[in-house]
């Protein structure tokens, strides 16, 4: 069964600190993996997208990594800001005739001053 | 990426009534999707809105409960019919030229009393 699992479920850090969010997936055959940021009451916004051949992708203070062998991805946030407080959702798409996005449950990050 | 708007942004409705949510895109797109996000949960695909034909519904969702229209390549509506408190969720539309790349609208927060 295609699944995406994220950890931790929630995380609290202090402003200026770094953090890493994890995503494990069992989606096969794999097409690509996206990290989305969802602010409270808003729709998800794409941060990064990686295909099978890419193992790292950066977007400002956000850096995503992908290990296609172990089917793991991480999202590293550097020098966190209060505006980073949001849910971060890992989304994997599968190859095939009827492609769909498989969503993780998300990690809820709170950045405190 | 496309600019997507949804109306209404939020609403409080009484049980037994229906609400129609509109999704407007600033450019023509091949695919439009409707998702539900229940409190504290990740996104669940309701249906794919096909231009010129009936929507394709996912398991657990039926046309009588969630009728969808897609009259052209920039507009779609989702109706939540005969609402109950269990329908309280955020409803999001997304658009893309493929399943792989989807851009999400801001969402409609629905509360059913």
């Amino acid at each position: 069964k295609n699944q995406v699992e994220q950890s931790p479920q929630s995380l609290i850090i202090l402003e200026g600190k770094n953090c890493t969010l994890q995503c494990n997936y069992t989606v096969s055959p794999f097409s690509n993996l996206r990290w989305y940021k969802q602010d409270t009451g808003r729709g998800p916004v794409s941060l990064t997208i990686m295909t099978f051949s890419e193992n790292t992708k950066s977007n400002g203070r956000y850096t995503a990594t992908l290990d296609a062998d172990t089917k793991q991805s991480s999202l590293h946030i550097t020098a966190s800001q209060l505006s980073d407080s949001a849910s971060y959702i890992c989304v994997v798409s599968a190859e095939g005739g009827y492609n769909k996005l498989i969503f993780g449950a998300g990690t809820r990050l709170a950045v405190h001053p | 990426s496309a600019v997507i708007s949804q109306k209404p942004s939020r609403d409080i409705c009484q049980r037994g009534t229906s609400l129609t949510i509109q999704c407007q895109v600033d450019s023509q797109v091949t695919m439009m999707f409707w998702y539900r996000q229940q409190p504290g949960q990740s996104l669940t695909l309701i249906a794919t809105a096909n231009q010129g034909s009936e929507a394709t519904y996912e398991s657990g969702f039926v046309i009588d409960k969630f009728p969808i229209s897609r009259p052209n390549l920039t507009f779609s509506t989702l109706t939540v019919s005969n609402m109950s408190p269990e329908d309280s969720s955020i409803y999001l539309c997304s658009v893309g030229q493929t399943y792989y790349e989807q851009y999400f609208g801001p969402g409609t927060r629905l509360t059913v009393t």
Side-chain angles (χ1 to χ4, degrees):
Chain A
K1 181 180 177 182
N2 289 331
Q3 284 187 316
V4 176
E5 295 185 349
Q6 293 186 243
S7 62
Q9 186 175 28
S10 62
L11 181 63
I12 300 173
I13 62 173
L14 294 177
E15 187 178 13
K17 298 296 185 182
N18 304 334
C19 68
T20 300
L21 314 181
Q22 300 291 343
C23 173
N24 296 336
Y25 62 92
T26 58
V27 178
S28 182
F30 173 86
S31 176
N32 63 66
L33 183 148
R34 281 182 182 266
W35 283 93
Y36 283 88
K37 178 187 179 187
Q38 185 176 23
D39 293 312
T40 301
R42 308 295 295 174
V45 175
S46 179
L47 294 175
T48 63
I49 179 171
M50 288 183 290
T51 60
F52 182 86
S53 60
E54 298 174 296
N55 55 25
T56 187
K57 186 72 72 77
S58 290
N59 178 359
R61 294 180 297 102
Y62 301 102
T63 299
T65 65
L66 173 65
D67 186 333
D69 291 331
T70 62
K71 299 186 177 182
Q72 296 180 325
S73 177
S74 65
L75 180 69
H76 186 75
I77 304 175
T78 304
S80 61
Q81 301 176 358
L82 298 180
S83 59
D84 292 331
S85 296
S87 288
Y88 292 85
I89 305 172
C90 176
V91 184
V92 181
S93 65
E95 285 284 1
Y98 184 61
N99 301 303
K100 287 190 290 188
L101 303 183
I102 298 104
F103 290 81
T107 292
R108 185 175 297 276
L109 174 65
V111 181
H112 290 181
Chain B
S1 63
V3 177
I4 307 162
S5 61
Q6 285 186 233
K7 292 182 180 179
S9 59
R10 59 176 61 219
D11 207 341
I12 300 173
C13 302
Q14 292 189 340
R15 70 172 65 210
T17 63
S18 298
L19 176 71
T20 296
I21 303 168
Q22 299 179 4
C23 179
Q24 180 76 53
V25 191
D26 68 341
S27 58
Q28 293 186 344
V29 292
T30 303
M31 313 189 86
M32 296 183 77
F33 309 89
W34 287 98
Y35 288 84
R36 180 176 73 183
Q37 187 175 28
Q38 295 178 303
Q41 304 296 313
S42 194
L43 284 73
T44 300
L45 180 64
I46 297 172
T48 301
N50 304 309
Q51 195 267 332
S53 64
E54 283 196 359
T56 303
Y57 289 84
E58 297 300 305
S59 176
F61 297 97
V62 295
I63 188 171
D64 289 345
K65 176 68 175 177
F66 298 101
I68 288 171
S69 76
R70 176 101 190 261
N72 56 51
L73 293 176
T74 63
F75 186 79
S76 178
T77 67
L78 169 76
T79 299
V80 186
S81 303
N82 188 24
M83 288 184 285
S84 66
E86 292 70 34
D87 294 320
S88 297
S89 294
I90 298 173
Y91 291 86
L92 300 111
C93 73
S94 73
V95 305
Q97 301 302 345
T98 69
Y99 280 96
Y100 301 151
E101 292 204 42
Q102 293 185 31
Y103 300 94
F104 289 86
T108 295
R109 184 179 293 271
L110 171 63
T111 302
V112 183
T113 60

